[in-house]
Amino acid sequence: MVTNSEIAAMLYEFAELTDLEGDVFKRNAYRRAAQSIEELDGDVAEYDREGRLESIPGVGKAIAQKIAEMVETGRSAKLEELRSKFPPGIVELMKVPEIGPRSLVRLHQELGIKDLEDLRQAALQHRIRSLKGFGERSEENILKGIAVVQGQGGRMLLGDALPIAEAIAAHLRAGGCEEVSVAGSLRRRKETIGDIDLLAGSDEPLRAMDRFVSYPRVASVVSRGPTRSTVRLADGTQVDLRVVPRDSYGAALQYFTGSKEHNVVMRRIAIQKGFRLNEYGLHRRDSGEMVAGAQEAEIYRTLGLDPIPPELREGRGEIEAAGEHRLPSLLRLEDIRGDMHVHTVMSDGRATMREIAEAAFRRGYEYIGVTDHSRSLHIAHGLTVDDLLASVEEARQLTDELGFPVLRGAEVDILEDGSLDYPDEALAQLDYVIGSVHSRFKMDRRTMTERVMTALSNRELNILGHPTGRLIGRREGYDIDIEQVMDEAARRGVALEVNGFPDRMDLSDLNCRKAIERGVTLVLDTDAHGVEQLDNMRFAVGTARRGWAERKDVLNALPLDQLRRFFRVAGA
Ligand SMILES: [Zn+2]
Ligand SMILES: [Zn+2]
């Protein structure tokens, strides 16, 4: 089964490779098609079956044929042909901000540069300045560009990595590998991860490895062996697969999920209790007899511990808690009853209120909240007061018509002086209000803290959106006394957001835990700008779980009447 995101990824790769060939027109066409597929409501395979591929925006006859081939065979002959024209590292090279595709082709043809390391060496040895059109400055810029790529490069966002990992896991399962899991920090749902680690339990490891390297998006096989193989995908992502015998699958999963800190304590406890724990199993030290290995939970239980969810395995007190049977009963994705932060076409979203409401209903939510930007945020087409109030009526009508509660909120800018970007009378017409900082990030700590504290004191405010303002890999959070903000939010009945947009993840895991300890109510949101992004809720849930959140800590795990009660008492 090829998923929409795999097809979109192949189309993006087409776009990059045609760009290298110098065909800007084709590049744009592939990009447009890829975007449409990402945003597509429904399965591409179904469009293919029903002969409706060309009804997808940006998909003409030629691209439709390629998509049909991808759906039916999992690959594209034309893409493979294009790939073979360029070295596998080339797509990664395209991420270096200082070089355009044409320069890249020349660097490849004239200097034989195949990957980032070649490029760095060429710049350091001043070989690039000898090419026509390049100079000393280009070498400096290229070195800076490489540093940028590697600075982010080492780490991927959870939101990018997890879908890739799951697609490969599905590919392995479809090939007969029954036990497959993501491992490492990805399984622990860390906000960024290094390489993608997969683990399979199989008594036919060679077959599993064959299947692994045949994954359509594999650009090169870095290494291949009976227990471990490594591949690189076209975008430079490295993926590792380990295959262990099924009897050891649980032990290996425990071992390769980590963290290091967690496993150090696990091994110490095993020794204290007369066992030896490694990736093959849990063995008695005296007799060598294996007492647990196939099931991960058995390892914990045999050591007198409650099984510990992967998100907690960070060496932050979880093992003591498991030994005393007081692990939190972690929030689950199914506990979330609605998403409270979604943008519509009225501001910078791509879906109408109706499309969002219908998508929320299909997901099994009990309600949805739509929140467009406020008037000062011009770049995101913030709403005027009149438009906002008209949309309150639209939400009411939609609620009646669909029999599904659509709450009308707003994501209101917290202005420089801490006031909110609409008059209180307008805000009072809404079901609830999110306040967010979107401007003037560089204030000193005291001024920024005061700004947000002033916003919290507004009785109309119910939720503080992405409370630290960070963008992972791009921008540090603003300087703010987040503990003071937490205490005030708890006191005033304002919920703090856990924004699940992959480069936000704000609050972070540690801040979630701190907030809960301070009596703050969390609200988990996606900040979706299109219906497909409603899927990002699982990242917010992963982060909240890493912060030890339980259902009782989360506002939108409440039924609608209790949610409304929370909004009524806020600001008291
Ligand atoms: Zn925002
Ligand atoms: Zn937003």
Side-chain angles (χ1 to χ4, degrees):
M1 252 303 286
V2 190
T3 63
N4 289 13
S5 63
E6 286 170 289
I7 289 177
M10 285 192 260
L11 291 171
Y12 278 122
E13 200 185 339
F14 259 118
E16 278 154 359
L17 295 174
T18 44
D19 197 13
L20 280 176
E21 291 208 305
D23 193 334
V24 178
F25 176 77
K26 265 196 193 160
R27 174 197 70 191
N28 293 343
Y30 281 121
R31 272 196 199 149
R32 239 186 344 263
Q35 269 163 6
S36 299
I37 301 247
E38 277 181 326
E39 289 167 14
L40 195 66
D41 205 13
D43 224 334
V44 183
E46 195 134 332
Y47 278 76
D48 178 40
R49 255 197 312 282
E50 295 166 4
R52 292 193 292 127
L53 283 174
E54 285 178 57
S55 73
I56 301 171
V59 176
K61 195 162 173 220
I63 295 185
Q65 278 171 357
K66 295 192 179 76
I67 295 176
E69 186 191 352
M70 294 174 198
V71 169
E72 284 146 33
T73 68
R75 41 185 69 231
S76 158
K78 178 74 191 162
L79 181 60
E80 279 156 27
E81 186 194 317
L82 270 174
R83 274 182 194 153
S84 67
K85 289 192 190 167
F86 302 101
I90 202 101
V91 175
E92 191 179 16
L93 277 174
M94 291 183 72
K95 292 183 187 160
V96 179
E98 298 304 326
I99 347 179
R102 246 85 47 221
S103 312
L104 206 54
V105 170
R106 288 189 50 213
L107 287 167
H108 172 54
Q109 287 170 349
E110 299 178 35
L111 296 177
I113 287 168
K114 292 188 301 301
D115 54 29
L116 275 184
E117 193 45 40
D118 288 351
L119 182 65
R120 187 214 315 279
Q121 289 306 328
L124 288 174
Q125 295 160 7
H126 307 307
R127 283 187 281 131
I128 294 176
R129 64 179 67 169
S130 66
L131 296 188
K132 193 159 173 267
F134 288 87
E136 218 169 297
R137 275 291 285 284
S138 334
E139 286 175 348
E140 282 167 27
N141 287 337
I142 283 172
L143 287 172
K144 273 189 212 141
I146 294 175
V148 170
V149 175
Q150 292 188 324
Q152 325 154 330
R155 318 263 334 149
M156 284 176 91
L157 295 174
L158 172 66
D160 293 330
L162 193 58
I164 297 174
E166 286 172 344
I168 302 175
H171 174 79
L172 289 168
R173 270 185 216 108
C177 223
E178 278 158 39
E179 293 184 291
V180 187
S181 174
V182 298
S185 48
L186 193 50
R187 185 164 181 243
R188 306 198 310 278
R189 298 293 189 265
K190 267 188 86 164
E191 61 199 26
T192 62
I193 61 131
D195 296 334
I196 294 177
D197 293 312
L198 291 169
L199 180 76
S202 170
D203 297 325
E204 292 178 279
L206 294 177
R207 216 178 120 202
M209 290 304 180
D210 280 345
R211 181 78 187 164
F212 178 55
V213 300
S214 79
Y215 180 66
R217 293 193 55 215
V218 169
S220 65
V221 178
V222 179
S223 66
R224 182 180 176 153
T227 59
R228 181 180 175 179
S229 297
T230 301
V231 298
R232 258 168 178 277
L233 306 184
D235 62 2
T237 306
Q238 190 161 312
V239 186
D240 256 31
L241 173 68
R242 285 171 207 274
V243 183
V244 299
R246 295 182 67 155
D247 286 347
S248 292
Y249 180 65
L253 193 54
Q254 198 286 321
Y255 183 89
F256 291 113
T257 295
S259 66
K260 265 195 203 97
E261 292 75 10
H262 176 87
N263 283 351
V264 164
V265 182
M266 286 291 288
R267 280 196 295 274
R268 194 165 64 218
I269 292 180
I271 290 169
Q272 281 163 4
K273 303 206 167 185
F275 297 102
R276 198 179 65 239
L277 175 63
N278 55 29
E279 66 264 47
Y280 305 108
L282 184 65
H283 299 261
R284 265 185 228 295
R285 243 182 331 168
D286 45 15
S287 62
E289 180 204 354
M290 181 154 119
V291 290
Q295 304 284 335
E296 191 180 43
E298 273 314 296
I299 292 170
Y300 286 97
R301 290 207 189 90
T302 311
L303 294 176
L305 304 169
D306 290 338
I308 300 176
E311 294 92 334
L312 297 186
R313 300 182 198 170
E314 296 292 342
R316 296 175 182 160
E318 71 279 6
I319 294 179
E320 295 83 330
E324 294 162 13
H325 309 294
R326 52 176 182 79
L327 280 173
S329 151
L330 289 185
L331 174 82
R332 298 163 311 156
L333 183 59
E334 310 85 86
D335 295 329
I336 299 294
R337 298 179 192 238
D339 197 330
M340 307 311 295
H341 185 164
V342 182
H343 295 269
T344 78
V345 286
M346 293 193 78
S347 62
D348 57 348
R350 291 185 300 272
T352 62
M353 202 189 278
R354 175 185 294 271
E355 286 164 343
I356 292 163
E358 286 170 347
F361 176 77
R362 277 198 305 272
R363 303 180 77 82
Y365 281 156
E366 294 171 23
Y367 47 80
I368 187 79
V370 288
T371 51
D372 284 303
H373 285 294
S374 62
R375 56 190 178 182
S376 292
L377 205 60
H378 300 297
I379 47 163
H381 310 287
L383 270 58
T384 63
V385 172
D386 286 347
D387 286 345
L388 179 69
L389 295 181
S391 76
V392 172
E393 191 44 43
E394 187 189 343
R396 216 167 274 151
Q397 282 173 9
L398 206 50
T399 301
D400 286 345
E401 188 194 322
L402 301 177
F404 177 79
V406 180
L407 278 63
R408 199 9 156 163
E411 183 182 19
V412 183
D413 270 38
I414 297 175
L415 302 177
E416 206 178 330
D417 62 357
S419 62
L420 300 181
D421 190 24
Y422 287 124
D424 287 354
E425 309 84 74
L427 295 176
Q429 303 297 311
L430 302 174
D431 291 302
Y432 67 102
V433 174
I434 302 178
S436 301
V437 171
H438 288 130
S439 60
R440 300 293 307 256
F441 302 111
K442 296 221 161 97
M443 292 177 155
D444 65 63
R445 186 180 181 87
R446 224 195 48 177
T447 319
M448 184 58 96
T449 306
E450 239 157 60
R451 175 182 180 185
V452 172
M453 295 290 275
T454 303
L456 290 175
S457 74
N458 187 316
R459 298 175 57 103
E460 300 301 334
L461 186 79
N462 306 108
I463 293 170
L464 181 62
H466 42 75
T468 74
R470 68 155 175 184
L471 291 176
I472 298 172
R474 286 193 285 149
R475 186 174 80 206
E476 296 276 310
Y478 31 77
D479 196 3
I480 192 167
D481 184 344
I482 194 72
E483 280 151 24
Q484 198 183 337
V485 168
M486 287 172 181
D487 289 340
E488 186 69 358
R491 199 172 73 78
R492 293 209 176 250
V494 173
L496 296 192
E497 185 177 68
V498 184
N499 188 306
F501 210 87
D503 64 0
R504 286 198 182 273
M505 300 298 226
D506 182 10
L507 297 173
S508 67
D509 53 357
L510 286 172
N511 273 334
C512 283
R513 189 160 177 194
K514 210 184 269 179
I516 292 166
E517 282 165 6
R518 286 168 183 259
V520 170
T521 300
L522 301 177
V523 57
L524 273 58
D525 290 329
T526 63
D527 205 347
H529 286 67
V531 290
E532 78 287 352
Q533 290 176 349
L534 293 173
D535 283 342
N536 291 346
M537 185 59 82
R538 59 189 185 138
F539 306 130
V541 170
T543 301
R545 284 169 64 92
R546 289 176 58 80
W548 295 50
E550 302 192 0
R551 191 172 62 186
K552 66 173 173 49
D553 303 313
V554 175
L555 179 62
N556 46 338
L558 293 174
L560 183 62
D561 55 332
Q562 291 178 42
L563 178 87
R564 285 196 187 276
R565 197 171 314 144
F566 180 92
F567 289 150
R568 273 200 300 277
V569 300

